Structures are given as structure tokens and as C-alpha cells.
Amino acid sequence: MLCTSPGAASHRSRPLARLSRFFHVKRLRSPALGSPGSPAELSTRWPSSSSSSSCGGGRVAVLDVLPTELALLIIAQVDSLATLQQLAQTSRRASRLVAAAFGDWLMTQVDAHASLYYAILLIPHRCDAELIDRLIHRGARLPRHLVQQVIVGYDLDARQKYDDLRVSRVSFSRQLRRLPLDGYQRLVHHGFKLYGKECLSKKDFASLMASQDQEIWRQCIDQAAFLPAPLPVSLSSSNSAYSSFFLFHLDMDTFNGISVVFTFDAEARTALWHGILTHLMAQASHGRLHDVLMQQEPGTLINHARLLPTADPLLMDDRAIFVRVFYDFLSSYPPHFHTKPVMGRFLLYCCRHLQPDFDVEEAINSIIFNAGCERRDIYSHISRFFQLTG
């Protein structure tokens, strides 16, 4: 859970600091609001054997005295990346074992539906043919949409500029360039073996987001292992990535079965927030004060448990993503485009119906104290709302 106390920023930075030697964390600053909330990028690096040392004081690291098979089973049961990093630093042998067992750890800790995509985001340079074969052999599913995006994005110009809206510490397009050639070839090989030429001819993401047929969604998930990530590399930031049907009308069991990507993919999380805000603004634009008063109970406009799966604080700063998306969303409209009543309803909906692991009111209120808030109309709407609501 993300902290909202005055020491929250330092509290969140501690697990990242512990992971810095493990994944070589580099913190970035949010370009729009100038705050350090934008999560850092993980360049993924296991501790080298030279940086790992045996336990001090003559003690022997536990993994150094266990049989390899037993040590690998123990590593597969580690419950977090931070613990895995600490384990890898206990000795040189532990570092080598963690690197060797990471595929098994993924299959144990991450949904088999998303483990391959998770690995490409987290450790792209280690996703060689051997690791991919190991994951697929252990039961990992290979989404056809992922193969399509790997084929499209692998040769993108390294100097490509990314949409400002996509705030993330791990960009799929950027991580894809670190994928080894044999890993790329093996992904394409398995993709064509499973799906044939549909890896080239079909565009699963676009076709599904345009569909409102529950059965078509289930078939694509069951037969093509569809995940709502990565976002297509050609997706325009001016359009919502996720359709209203997907976010609010897809069968809940179906949605929950593929929503794991929103816990570790900051790009997908960003698009999720954008879709939710778009929905709330549409409701506010067509609503009346009576409707607001009748919809005071949380969950009457959106099912927050369904739409806001808990984000992994080691992989993204959900509050920073929300603040950035919220400001960019309002900035996408011309000044004074929305009337005061519409903006009042929109802000009320946000405060009443969004229940993530941080204080939404505090996050919205922080925008008016940020020097990067250049839109006076946004500043005025937010200030007026909190003055009236106390």
C-alpha cells in the first residue's frame, strides 16, 4: 500500500534503494509537473559475482551448503523482488542460483498468463531462447498480441520519442530493444507455431477494443492468451487506449482474469487511469446535481475493486501516475471548456468513487501547489472545489 504521510516519499524510496544494486534503478523526473514522482526505469542487472560476498564473521550463507535442487526450490518460493535481491547478495553462489532460477520464480509468483510479458518488461536482456523455452515448458502462455507487438516494435528507431502521457519506469518499446536476438527469434518461432500467419495479419488489441461481444473476448483470451498489454506502439495518446466496454461492461470474471497487467505495467496503469477519468468526465457532463446526490455511495459509478487492482509499489508509483494523468487529461481540453458545475461534479466523482491505495483528494490538491501547474483555469476549478467542500 502506498503511503500518504509526510514521510511517504522517503518510505517509497527505500525499497527502490534496496533494489538499485539489483536492477540498477535510475530515478527520473516527471516532465509535465516537474516532480520526482515519475517512476524510475529498471535496466535490470543481477548482482555480479564480484559484487556478491560471503556472509561476514566467518558465517556461511545458507544456500552455499544446500544441494542445488533444494536451493532452487527455496528460491522459487521467495515472495518478493526485494527479498530475491537480498538473497542474491548473500554469496556468489546465491547470485548464480538466483539468476538461474528466475524463470521458475516467475512461474511461481506471477500468473502463467502474464509471466512471459512480465519477464520482457523486467529482465529483457535475460530473455534469451533458453529462458523463453523454460517458461513455455513450465506452462507459460504466449499471448498472440504480445508476439504481434514484438514483431512490430523490435526494429523501431532507438531515437523515437514517446508520448508524454505514457509515464512509466519501464517502457515496453524501450525494453524491447534490450531483448537478445535469439530471444526475439524464439518468441516469433513459438508465436508462428501456435498461431501461424495470424501473428502478422491480426491486430488483436484494436479488434477487441472495437468489439462489444462477450463471447469474442472470451475466445481471444482462451485461444490466443490475450492480455490488455503491451499498448500498441503506434497508439496515439490523443485516444483512450481502453474501450468503455472493456473497462465497465466486460464480464467481471473475464476482466479480473487478465487485469494482473495493471499491477506491474505502468503504461497499462496509465491508460487505465485515463480511461476511468474519461468515463467520469462523461458522467459529469451529462449529470445533474440530483444525480450526484443519488450516487454518493462509493462504487455506484465504477467498481473500484475491479478497476483498481493494487499496483506493485516496487514497479510503479501509482499516485504519481494518477497526478500526471489527471493533469494531462484536464490540459487536453481548451481553457474554460467545461463549466464550473461540470468540473464540480467531475471532481466530486473522483473524490467519492476512486479508492486506490493513496488519498485521491490529497493527490488532486497537490496539483495546485505544484509550480508546473500552468493552466489557471485548472487551478481555479480545483481551488474552488476544495473551498466549497472544505
Side-chain angles (χ1 to χ4, degrees):
M1 180 174 293
L2 299 179
C3 298
T4 55
S5 62
S10 61
H11 177 76
R12 286 192 299 268
S13 66
R14 284 196 291 272
L16 286 178
R18 291 196 298 269
L19 281 172
S20 61
R21 294 188 297 274
F22 192 38
F23 291 115
H24 187 53
V25 175
K26 179 182 180 182
R27 181 168 293 279
L28 305 177
R29 292 182 66 84
S30 174
L33 297 179
S35 67
S38 178
E41 179 183 354
L42 304 178
S43 63
T44 65
R45 182 179 63 189
W46 296 108
S48 63
S49 58
S50 61
S51 64
S52 302
S53 59
S54 298
C55 296
R59 293 175 295 174
V60 179
V62 174
L63 292 185
D64 286 349
V65 298
L66 292 177
T68 300
E69 294 77 8
L70 181 57
L72 293 177
L73 288 175
I74 293 175
I75 292 172
Q77 300 302 318
V78 172
D79 60 355
S80 70
L81 287 174
T83 305
L84 200 65
Q85 176 261 341
Q86 293 169 354
L87 187 61
Q89 292 180 337
T90 58
S91 71
R92 293 181 177 87
R93 183 171 186 256
S95 178
R96 293 192 296 269
L97 288 173
V98 168
F102 191 73
D104 294 333
W105 181 85
L106 276 175
M107 290 301 301
T108 303
Q109 301 297 328
V110 183
D111 191 317
H113 199 162
S115 58
L116 269 170
Y117 178 49
Y118 187 96
I120 292 176
L121 276 183
L122 189 62
I123 51 166
H125 75 288
R126 290 191 173 272
C127 291
D128 54 15
E130 181 182 355
L131 177 60
I132 290 170
D133 284 343
R134 189 188 309 159
L135 288 173
I136 291 179
H137 178 73
R138 287 288 306 274
R141 303 193 67 189
L142 177 58
R144 185 171 62 195
H145 168 61
L146 176 59
V147 179
Q148 293 166 353
Q149 294 308 304
V150 167
I151 293 174
V152 171
Y154 191 68
D155 291 326
L156 285 180
D157 184 354
R159 294 170 296 177
Q160 175 186 358
K161 294 182 179 179
Y162 298 94
D163 295 333
D164 284 342
L165 182 62
R166 290 167 152 200
V167 182
S168 71
R169 79 175 47 153
V170 181
S171 163
F172 172 75
S173 299
R174 189 178 300 113
Q175 296 294 80
L176 192 57
R177 298 193 185 96
R178 301 187 180 120
L179 185 68
L181 180 60
D182 66 333
Y184 166 77
Q185 293 170 337
R186 194 55 56 92
L187 282 171
V188 174
H189 167 76
H190 283 294
F192 272 83
K193 186 177 179 180
L194 289 170
Y195 309 117
K197 294 183 179 179
E198 290 182 342
C199 292
L200 295 174
S201 60
K202 274 191 173 273
K203 296 181 179 179
D204 289 349
F205 192 96
S207 61
L208 277 182
M209 291 306 161
S211 173
Q212 298 187 10
D213 190 325
Q214 301 273 3
E215 189 58 32
I216 291 179
W217 274 88
R218 295 191 193 98
Q219 288 179 0
C220 197
I221 293 172
D222 293 339
Q223 300 174 11
F226 177 78
L227 284 174
L231 300 184
V233 294
S234 59
L235 189 68
S236 171
S237 63
S238 61
N239 300 318
S240 295
Y242 298 125
S243 65
S244 177
F245 178 82
F246 167 67
L247 292 178
F248 305 103
H249 303 293
L250 187 64
D251 176 76
M252 183 171 293
D253 290 337
T254 304
F255 180 91
N256 290 339
I258 59 178
S259 63
V260 62
V261 296
F262 298 125
T263 67
F264 65 82
D265 184 347
E267 285 187 327
R269 189 79 174 190
T270 297
L272 175 68
W273 275 123
H274 189 274
I276 292 174
L277 295 181
T278 300
H279 173 72
L280 292 181
M281 180 60 79
Q283 295 293 322
S285 299
H286 298 93
R288 298 174 299 177
L289 180 60
H290 174 72
D291 299 326
V292 176
L293 296 177
M294 293 298 292
Q295 296 172 336
Q296 286 294 298
E297 287 299 321
T300 53
L301 281 182
I302 62 173
N303 187 319
H304 57 84
R306 160 181 169 154
L307 289 177
L308 294 171
T310 302
D312 187 339
L314 296 177
L315 298 178
M316 68 181 78
D317 185 339
D318 197 28
R319 179 189 178 280
I321 292 177
F322 170 80
V323 170
R324 173 66 188 277
V325 173
F326 187 90
Y327 181 78
D328 285 353
F329 174 75
L330 294 182
S331 299
S332 66
Y333 293 97
H336 306 292
F337 180 84
H338 296 296
T339 63
K340 292 180 180 179
V342 169
M343 282 299 300
R345 287 194 293 269
F346 171 71
L347 292 171
L348 182 59
Y349 285 156
C350 289
C351 294
R352 292 291 297 173
H353 297 284
L354 300 181
Q355 297 186 7
D357 292 334
F358 57 87
D359 190 330
V360 172
E361 292 188 24
E362 184 275 331
I364 295 175
N365 199 32
S366 69
I367 294 176
I368 66 177
F369 296 105
N370 195 299
C373 184
E374 299 176 353
R375 286 281 298 271
R376 299 302 301 174
D377 58 318
I378 297 177
Y379 180 95
S380 176
H381 283 308
I382 296 176
S383 299
R384 179 175 180 273
F385 173 77
F386 284 110
Q387 288 174 358
L388 292 177
T389 58

